[in-house]
Amino acid sequence: MNTKDNPKLIRAWISYDWANSVHSLVIASAIFPVYYTLMTYDANDQPIKFLGLLPESAFNFSLAIAFFFVIVLSPVLSSIADLIGNKIKFLRFFCYLGSFSCIGMFFFTSSDLVWLALLLNITASIGFWGSLVFYNAYLPEIVSDEKMDKVSAQGYMFGYIGSVLLLTICLAMIQFAPAEKQGLFTRISFLLTGIWWLGFGQIALSKLPNHKYDREIPKDIIKSSFRNLKHTFKDLNQYKNIRVFLAGFFFYSLAMQTIFLMAAMFGSSEIGMESSELIMTILLIQIEAVLGAWLFSFLSGKIGNKKTLLIGIFIWIITCIIGYLINKNDPNVKTQFYVMAAMVGLVMGGLQALSRSTYAKLLPETEDTTTYFSFYDVFEKFALFLGLVIYGLLIEYSGGMKASALAMGVSFAISFVILLFYKMEKK
């Protein structure tokens, strides 16, 4: 089967975005964090500490542990996958790890099982983020440069649509359940998330190619993987435009991913939004992201990747300034927040899709696409880790979240300046 621009393979690749994106919305953003908070506070609204940590701190630490494992493991595993020509096995492993972890969250039934919830949050996050390295690496393998922006955008669009669909089903199920059954139906939503991810993931796992390269597999695979990593890093470092792009990508990822994770908390603490309003905000962001992914793909075809990226980053800077200047006492503050959320969704969906395809376009012709994408993944995850640390420290020292919003705007501005100096050329 021809692997370049084959419609069947492209549809199979896009299907994995549809499959795994439900984790980022139902588990990472909307339902699980709310349920976790309810389960870790007693009847007097006092926090139930875990290992001496407040529930929020324990939750954040679980995410930090997951990111640490992904940052450490993904380069080595991706190098091994390229050496043996077997990306699909690693994609399958992380897909199963993440989906079964979501299913396991159904058994988080009491505050005595916080350890189980945190453990499953770690493994689900590792499964989600770990699988993306191998999934993204298929893009330059199955899609030509001319179609990468469009296909990457289609992946994100279907991912956003699928996650909104499942979240809507879960929310309706919880909302219309009797009060005494809402906890059960909330846990069923975790079960459905894992089944959705596992079930739809089979489409990609059964159809994506599993190339066996015409080269001898080394006996000492671990040592060889590190040599391959070193070689790829040296090779990557020779390409000025990749270096400049990754530097800019690091700074706008730091701000973009952090803002998405903290948007609901910002709405609650700085705007005074109710839980139902925050869930509507999350849905708004996801729906706008579908439009953003399509719009940025269209713009990149008209004016090129670089100008489109710079437009998106500029809109992000404006959004951060609005967030810093927003006044909680303004009677129209909630309307302003919804406008901000719409802007966030629009540029987030567009930048995510375009970032993936832009990096793929800049790569040299190589079989080792997974190793190259592991560096992209490490830059993104380390940026997110650092962004959360910066955000948290600024909240601690300023007593609010506005200073953090302004700091994220500065990070976007740095990336804007850096990306002025890269060209869409493989050199």
Side-chain angles (χ1 to χ4, degrees):
M1 181 184 288
N2 179 22
T3 59
K4 283 283 187 180
D5 298 334
N6 185 294
K8 290 183 179 180
L9 290 182
I10 290 175
R11 287 195 295 269
W13 184 81
I14 289 172
S15 73
Y16 191 75
D17 249 320
W18 170 277
N20 81 333
S21 291
V22 293
H23 168 272
S24 63
L25 188 55
V26 177
I27 303 298
S29 303
I31 298 179
F32 181 71
V34 174
Y35 179 76
Y36 170 85
T37 300
L38 290 173
M39 296 297 289
T40 51
Y41 277 77
D42 61 23
N44 298 317
D45 203 28
Q46 294 299 309
I48 302 169
K49 291 188 176 183
F50 178 74
L51 298 178
L53 297 170
L54 289 171
E56 296 84 358
S57 298
F59 189 84
N60 285 336
F61 274 121
S62 72
L63 289 176
I65 291 169
F67 288 132
F68 173 79
F69 274 105
V70 172
I71 289 169
V72 171
L73 289 177
S74 65
V76 179
L77 294 181
S78 63
S79 181
I80 294 173
D82 278 336
L83 282 171
I84 65 178
N86 210 342
K87 287 195 291 285
I88 200 70
K89 281 193 174 182
F90 289 92
L91 179 60
R92 180 177 288 109
F93 169 78
F94 283 108
C95 173
Y96 288 177
L97 176 65
S99 57
F100 281 113
S101 296
C102 294
I103 290 171
M105 289 175 177
F106 174 81
F107 300 100
F108 177 32
T109 56
S110 72
S111 58
D112 293 333
L113 294 172
V114 170
W115 64 270
L116 177 64
L118 293 173
L119 176 62
L120 292 173
N121 191 43
I122 292 171
T123 53
S125 298
I126 291 173
F128 175 77
W129 294 106
S131 68
L132 289 182
V133 182
F134 304 94
Y135 169 66
N136 289 336
Y138 273 106
L139 183 61
E141 182 178 322
I142 66 172
V143 183
S144 61
D145 285 4
E146 298 77 31
K147 296 184 178 181
M148 276 187 194
D149 293 340
K150 180 180 179 181
V151 173
S152 180
Q154 286 175 341
Y156 273 105
M157 287 168 64
F158 276 91
Y160 289 131
I161 293 169
S163 57
V164 167
L165 176 61
L166 182 62
L167 178 62
T168 303
I169 293 170
C170 292
L171 290 176
M173 185 173 62
I174 296 167
Q175 184 70 30
F176 292 107
E180 68 275 10
K181 295 287 187 180
Q182 286 188 341
L184 171 63
F185 281 93
T186 300
R187 291 187 292 112
I188 289 175
S189 71
F190 308 149
L191 186 67
L192 290 177
T193 301
I195 293 172
W196 178 292
W197 185 357
L198 180 66
F200 285 112
Q202 299 306 311
I203 301 172
L205 295 176
S206 63
K207 296 186 182 300
L208 287 176
N210 192 28
H211 293 313
K212 297 289 186 180
Y213 302 138
D214 186 20
R215 59 191 179 196
E216 185 179 352
I217 298 176
K219 293 180 180 179
D220 192 343
I221 192 71
I222 301 298
K223 187 180 291 185
S224 297
S225 70
F226 278 102
R227 282 199 299 266
N228 191 39
L229 267 177
K230 183 179 178 181
H231 171 75
T232 303
F233 180 75
K234 289 176 66 176
D235 191 35
L236 183 148
N237 204 39
Q238 294 176 5
Y239 293 88
K240 176 187 175 183
N241 290 320
I242 294 180
R243 294 201 312 268
V244 176
F245 172 76
L246 283 176
F249 172 71
F250 176 84
F251 281 101
Y252 73 70
S253 286
L254 183 155
M256 179 172 66
Q257 300 287 357
T258 304
I259 287 173
F260 179 70
L261 287 178
M262 304 303 292
M265 189 178 293
F266 184 93
S268 177
S269 63
E270 295 294 337
I271 311 299
M273 307 285 282
E274 300 293 333
S275 296
S276 58
E277 294 172 321
L278 290 174
I279 291 175
M280 286 299 299
T281 301
I282 292 171
L283 282 171
L284 173 65
I285 290 174
Q286 295 292 115
I287 294 169
E288 286 288 330
V290 176
L291 175 62
W294 173 84
L295 179 61
F296 274 56
S297 172
F298 174 79
L299 282 176
S300 67
K302 297 294 183 181
I303 63 176
N305 291 53
K306 178 177 177 176
K307 290 181 181 178
T308 308
L309 285 171
L310 291 174
I311 289 171
I313 294 168
F314 182 76
I315 295 172
W316 267 115
I317 294 171
I318 299 301
T319 305
C320 291
I321 293 173
I322 294 173
Y324 177 71
L325 296 175
I326 202 166
N327 184 356
K328 188 175 184 177
N329 298 318
D330 189 319
N332 298 316
V333 67
K334 290 187 178 181
T335 302
Q336 294 170 14
F337 182 73
Y338 283 128
V339 171
M340 282 176 55
M343 292 173 67
V344 166
L346 187 69
V347 288
M348 182 162 187
L351 273 185
Q352 281 184 318
L354 197 59
S355 298
R356 178 168 64 186
S357 59
T358 299
Y359 182 72
K361 284 182 177 181
L362 292 171
L363 293 182
E365 293 297 326
T366 177
E367 292 179 332
D368 298 337
T369 54
T370 319
T371 309
Y372 274 96
F373 260 99
S374 72
F375 287 102
Y376 175 91
D377 189 71
V378 166
F379 268 74
E380 183 181 37
K381 302 309 171 291
F382 184 68
L384 176 54
F385 175 81
L386 184 60
L388 289 170
V389 171
I390 293 171
Y391 211 97
L393 289 175
L394 286 173
I395 292 172
E396 191 70 26
Y397 284 104
S398 68
M401 301 181 74
K402 287 189 174 184
S404 300
L406 188 62
M408 297 301 105
V410 171
S411 188
F412 279 120
I414 293 171
S415 73
F416 186 92
V417 173
I418 291 173
L419 291 180
L420 289 172
F421 297 97
Y422 98 97
K423 297 179 181 179
M424 281 303 300
E425 299 174 358
K426 296 178 184 287
K427 64 179 185 179

